[in-house]
Amino acid sequence: MNEVAPPRISRRRAVLVTVAGLTVAGAVVGALWAWLAPPLHGVVALTKSGDRIKAYLGDEADHFFVAAVMIAGMLGVLAVVAAVLLWQWRAHRGPAMVAALAIGTAGAAAVAAGVGAALVRLRYGAIDIAGAPVSPQHRVHYVIEAPAVFFGHSPLQIAATVLLPAAAAALVYALVAVSTHRDDLGAWPPTEMPVIDPSVTVDGALPSAQ
């Protein structure tokens, strides 16, 4: 028997709370990423021909990839945790909550990317190659560049970062749902399964011993 209690709030409000909560969580993820993501150390150098070039020290250029992987991984963790927590909200299990979860995690990814990019820009600033203090006497100027949020600047690369957490959250929620033996997922309102007495046949006669 389904013993779930009636929900205290409406389904529409539950959806709005879910989307808003995930959006706020995305801002927290963006701030945490901005604090942990490694910056890139490089130089602005003046060549013998008088040209200014920017180069990275050692393998510092790899931090572009590392930083993008970090925010993708953090958003993936947020998506999985959110899906598991929302499944515990039994009264509102169902398609509406899956939609709220997908929209919320996509919004969280977008907000995390925006907050993270803004904070690292404030922390490290922008590199002005033309204004770098290099001269024939001092040909090298050391700089620190902010890490990157996305793997690239193409629309597909940006969309992949934003939509990947939504896909992961929906997948986790769906896997938990298909493992539930009840058609109503144990949500509200309950739908009781009909119980068939195995001792009764179609025509109402007792089953034979054969």
Side-chain angles (χ1 to χ4, degrees):
M1 183 175 182
N2 193 344
E3 300 177 353
V4 62
R8 298 181 180 179
I9 63 176
S10 66
R11 183 151 298 177
R12 175 175 293 184
R13 185 176 178 184
V15 168
L16 293 177
V17 168
T18 299
V19 174
L22 287 171
T23 301
V24 173
V28 175
V29 169
L32 182 61
W33 173 85
W35 181 45
L36 296 176
L40 295 88
H41 295 82
V43 297
V44 175
L46 185 67
T47 65
K48 293 182 178 180
S49 60
D51 297 327
R52 293 168 179 256
I53 60 172
K54 183 180 70 172
Y56 297 104
L57 302 176
D59 58 356
E60 289 287 306
D62 293 344
H63 290 176
F64 279 120
F65 179 78
V66 172
V69 169
M70 280 184 60
I71 196 167
M74 294 168 71
L75 289 171
V77 172
L78 174 64
V80 173
V81 172
V84 173
L85 290 179
L86 285 178
W87 180 255
Q88 307 308 315
W89 203 352
R90 291 190 58 183
H92 293 294
R93 290 175 181 173
M97 192 53 65
V98 175
L101 179 63
I103 294 172
T105 47
V111 171
V115 170
L119 290 179
V120 294
R121 180 66 178 270
L122 289 175
R123 182 177 181 181
Y124 301 108
I127 297 177
D128 183 9
I129 298 179
V134 292
S135 64
Q137 292 75 30
H138 303 281
R139 292 184 174 272
V140 177
H141 174 65
Y142 292 94
V143 295
I144 300 178
E145 186 174 352
V149 175
F150 302 113
F151 290 98
H153 299 291
S154 71
L156 288 178
Q157 290 171 319
I158 295 174
T161 302
V162 173
L163 297 179
L164 184 61
L171 177 61
V172 172
Y173 200 94
L175 290 176
V176 180
V178 298
S179 66
T180 305
H181 67 281
R182 294 188 61 93
D183 291 338
D184 61 2
L185 305 180
W188 183 268
T191 302
E192 298 302 333
M193 301 285 292
V195 179
I196 301 176
D197 188 352
S199 64
V200 178
T201 61
V202 176
D203 57 0
L206 294 176
S208 63
Q210 297 180 354

